[in-house]
Amino acid sequence: MDLTLKRINKHFKGRTVLEDISFDVGPRELVSIIGPSGVGKTTLLKIIAQLEQPTGGEVVFPEPPSRKHPVILVFQDYVLFPGMTVRGNIGFGLKSRRIKKAEIRERVDRMLEYFRLEEQSGHYPAQLSAGQKQRVAIARAMIINPAVLLLDEPFANLDRSLKMETAGFIRKTQKEFGIPTISVTHDLEEAFAMSDRIGILLDGRLKQYDAPKEIYFHPNSYDVARFLGPVNIIPRNLYQLFGINGERGQQDRILARPENLVLEPLENGAGRIQEVTFAGHYIVYSVSLQDRVFTVYSHQDSFRPGQEVALKIKPYGEQ
Amino acid sequence: MKSAKLLLRLSPLLIPYLILFCGGVFLTVGQSLGFLTPLPYTGGTFEAYTQLFSDPHFLASFLFSLQVALASALLSVTAGTLLAYWVWKLPQRLQTAAIVYKIPLILPHIAVAFVVLIFWSRSGIVASLAHSLGLIDAMQEFPNLLYSGWGLGMILAYSLKGTPFAMLLIMALLLRFDSRQIQAAYMLGASRLQTFFRVVLPRIAPAMQTGFIILFLYSFGAFDIPYLLSESRPGMLSVNVYNLYFKRDLARRPEAMAMLTFMFCFAVLLIVAYSKIVNRLEDAERKI
């Protein structure tokens, strides 16, 4: 049975924050809802966590959340209990259930080991790094086997270098414990890396809900495509120049990511290199073609400004 | 040279302290030992103290003062904590209205003593209300709350003053308390009571301790409320000092001063013990 959101609406002070949000999360699934800041992501989580009431619609749980199997929201800044040690924080839920001390000790020990927090077990939250705090917060939730785990911006407080590692860790943990998890974030790469399915939340609406690859390569609208990264629009009249034909050629326009365009040196080619920017592991080329400018990411750094080139789209299979 | 400059800069603080406080203590202790007394003193150096400690009335008074101070401080801090928590959880609009709790803070102690007297004495408002409601047949049947021998009137008056004071201290800490900690505790399965005792209370404990010690010492030594509401046997120490000083023989001045010295030493001891305990507790919590 899935956790299902049915037409969730939320109005706040006459403003529509969320409109008609519907999606479902499978029993062992990790889902990310991505959207820009201030789009109502946290509100959505709070509604699922039952900390806020929706104006309309309902959240249907496979089994109604109870004290035994609650919905747990891991806050963006973790909200650990500052007066308790790591051990105290992780054991909090068990102690609240009046479980025997020896059993609490044993179960907390297992969590400390899994979350690599053994050395910090006696530390207070103020002595921990952001990554450690987050692991405590997730361990504190996992130990009571929640019905659903909600993560609010799990990467927001982490160093750049730690984000991807954390995404991997969250995915591994989620698969290990098998707890349906919904995360909201604006960190695209990490969300893509860890999620089974992704929802794009723009202007209070869920624009697309699908597997990461589908979303990335087949965005259902320009807004979704644009939100996920720079995108080029190829109008129909340029299809021939780009070498587009067959089934693909039936569409009115094609959305192409910069990495899906290729440059070929060609004298008197239709395109002309305008700008070359070094961006680390790839080069960004701005190419003018008729009255448009296209962005291309390439590993070749042999093109020079002013050079005439042909611009092609990669065949489907190479995407 | 440097320290002279420092002393000079501190002088606005040091001079009143030296003259008023140290001078006062010196005179009090001196007179309690028989020096600098208004009448030539004939007894031994510690005679006033010997007399004091061998007097059963003094001991009874001391225990009574202790009991009144303890009860009123405990009552104030408990009520103050619960009320502060309750006000803090109110919606913002009501919180602004709840500011009325500060009113007793600006009332002088003597006024609060009168309020208690007017409401709770046998001829007071509560008694006549009970009478007109037919709960009692005659006003005289109203229980003698104020003079029951337990110091209830004083405890009530001190608590009326002390509760908003404790609230004020605790509210200051609660305002900095992240209410999501309560949400987190509920989500993790803690009951309201568990959340209060395990999550909220540790955060406001410092204010509760400070409030308790201040209120305890105040009610232990204050004079105005006992003067109006005290019972004679056993009386509060402060009233005993007053009587000894003003209403008895001038020759008993050392005894009055010995009693004052004793009260002062008791307060100092209490504060030293308190800060030792707090230091030890804070050592454990410093990491927070």
Side-chain angles (χ1 to χ4, degrees), chain A residues 223-298:
Chain A
D223 288 342
V224 171
R226 186 71 195 81
F227 174 71
L228 296 177
V231 70
N232 299 293
I233 301 177
I234 307 172
R236 207 175 182 133
N237 61 334
L238 296 180
Y239 283 4
Q240 212 186 341
L241 277 173
F242 277 84
I244 296 165
N245 46 37
E247 191 195 327
R248 230 174 175 189
Q250 304 306 310
Q251 300 164 25
D252 278 342
R253 59 176 193 184
I254 286 176
L255 302 175
R257 299 244 169 252
E259 60 269 34
N260 287 335
L261 295 179
V262 276
L263 294 172
E264 286 166 11
L266 179 69
E267 250 179 75
N268 300 320
R272 175 188 284 269
I273 304 279
Q274 271 196 334
E275 208 181 321
V276 182
T277 314
F278 174 71
H281 58 282
Y282 60 93
I283 316 282
V284 183
Y285 293 103
S286 294
V287 184
S288 64
L289 195 150
Q290 295 192 351
D291 53 349
R292 290 172 180 267
V293 175
F294 292 84
T295 306
V296 183
Y297 294 167
S298 169

Side-chain angles (χ1 to χ4, degrees), chain B residues 246-261:
Chain B
F246 286 108
K247 300 199 170 164
R248 301 282 168 77
D249 199 337
L250 214 52
R252 295 190 70 177
R253 178 67 59 87
E255 249 179 278
M257 291 309 181
M259 212 184 281
L260 277 179
T261 309

Side-chain angles (χ1 to χ4, degrees), chain A residues 184-201:
Chain A
V184 300
T185 177
H186 61 262
D187 288 285
L188 298 172
E189 286 178 44
E190 288 74 18
F192 275 105
M194 75 174 185
S195 313
D196 295 309
R197 278 196 284 178
I198 281 179
I200 306 290
L201 193 63

